[in-house]
Amino acid sequence: MTQLPGIVVTGASGRMGRMLIQVIVASNAARLVAALERPGHDWVGRDVGEAMGGAPIGVTVTDDPLEAFAKAQAVVDFTAPAATVEFAALAAQARAAHVIGTTGLSDEDLTKIAAAARHAVIVRAGNMSLGVNLLVKLTEKVAAALDADFDIEVIEAHHNKKVDAPSGTALMLGEAAAHGRGVALADVSDRGRDGITGARKRGDIGFVAIRGGDIVGEHDVLFAAEGERITLRHVASDRAVFARGALKAALWAQGRNPGEYDMMDVLGL
């Protein structure tokens, strides 16, 4: 057991943190060596299994990332941009692979993460599921096959606690569609319509964000022309698909050269 890669989960009390802990503890390919929470959180100092309402598992929740990362081979991180940037530098210092599922990262954040990737492996993706990454590939191929007579809309739905929009996955899909068309997403992105907006601009890629209830994640890419429509769709009904993908990424990262990778690399797509 001690030879299995040791993994730290950040944001242990969050939706994804809990799911990641469950998936790692149940795995026979890795072991949970630390669970991290912010200073002052009421889970700090408690056994994470008990904090989650179950039996103790022998891992105490800590608020010290450097100490946690020092004993790990991988850090799995679905938190917030500011925390993720800090964790990237600390994981690189510890030479631990950093699997990033955090969304809403700014260009400045990404520059700092890229700097950390010079010293350690970073796997970053807006979505860790196999199905979504296949959808990204399909979106690029369909966009490349169709001209601008087909309007492209990316429609995404998530739970009412999600703080960023469009979702990281929606942006992945938009980037794929733009790449398929040979354009920069920044030049054709249409993210907001309210009031008298005028007619839709030919070639734009539109985004629609829905927030409600406990929706785990739904993404549609609509290609609409005169007289016909094509819809590519992925629905996630269980966060475990993201946790399993993140664990796969953490295991894949072992022994890799420093650098920034994504789930396409992990899945060989």
Side-chain angles (χ1 to χ4, degrees):
M1 283 294 293
T2 57
Q3 299 306 308
L4 298 178
I7 298 180
V8 175
V9 172
T10 65
S13 70
R15 282 184 174 89
M16 276 305 303
R18 294 170 185 246
M19 183 58 68
L20 286 161
I21 289 166
Q22 292 173 10
V23 168
I24 293 165
V25 169
S27 169
N28 59 7
R31 57 200 171 94
L32 183 71
V33 295
L36 188 68
E37 259 302 342
R38 64 186 181 277
H41 194 280
D42 61 8
W43 279 27
V44 175
R46 299 174 61 192
D47 183 280
V48 70
E50 291 182 330
M52 290 172 58
I57 61 174
V59 175
T60 301
V61 180
T62 180
D63 60 5
D64 186 340
L66 190 56
E67 178 186 24
F69 295 178
K71 57 187 177 183
Q73 284 70 57
V75 176
V76 183
D77 177 18
F78 287 71
T79 54
T84 291
V85 169
E86 177 187 354
F87 294 153
L90 294 175
Q93 183 178 335
R95 298 299 187 265
H98 188 189
V99 177
I100 299 174
T102 302
T103 58
L105 295 160
S106 68
D107 289 342
E108 182 180 357
D109 295 333
L110 295 176
T111 297
K112 292 176 180 177
I113 288 169
R118 293 199 294 267
H119 307 286
V121 176
I122 291 179
V123 181
R124 183 179 65 83
N127 195 298
M128 299 282 176
S129 87
L130 172 60
V132 161
N133 283 278
L134 288 172
L135 177 61
V136 169
K137 276 293 185 186
L138 289 170
T139 296
E140 181 178 348
K141 288 183 177 295
V142 174
L146 302 174
D147 62 22
D149 286 341
F150 281 82
D151 298 322
I152 301 176
E153 293 284 315
V154 180
I155 305 107
E156 55 101 342
H158 285 86
H159 55 86
N160 58 19
K161 301 295 191 297
K162 187 168 179 61
V163 298
D164 60 308
S167 70
T169 303
L171 293 173
M172 285 172 61
L173 293 165
E175 290 283 2
H179 190 263
R181 285 206 166 157
V183 297
L185 181 61
D187 295 336
V188 297
S189 179
D190 181 1
R191 299 195 189 183
R193 302 185 185 112
D194 185 21
I196 307 301
T197 61
R200 191 186 198 282
K201 184 179 176 182
R202 178 180 169 86
D204 274 0
I205 296 174
F207 291 86
V208 178
I210 297 166
R211 297 289 177 266
D214 61 355
I215 301 170
V216 173
E218 300 177 4
H219 294 86
D220 293 77
V221 184
L222 172 67
F223 298 85
E226 294 292 330
E228 60 181 330
R229 295 190 298 274
I230 301 166
T231 301
L232 305 177
R233 181 159 220 237
H234 180 270
V235 175
S237 57
D238 187 343
R239 285 183 181 81
V241 300
F242 310 129
R244 288 193 292 266
L247 175 56
K248 184 179 181 72
L251 296 174
W252 177 90
Q254 302 305 305
R256 303 282 172 181
N257 292 326
E260 195 167 359
Y261 303 88
D262 59 22
M263 285 301 289
M264 298 297 179
D265 297 309
V266 174
L267 300 171
L269 295 176

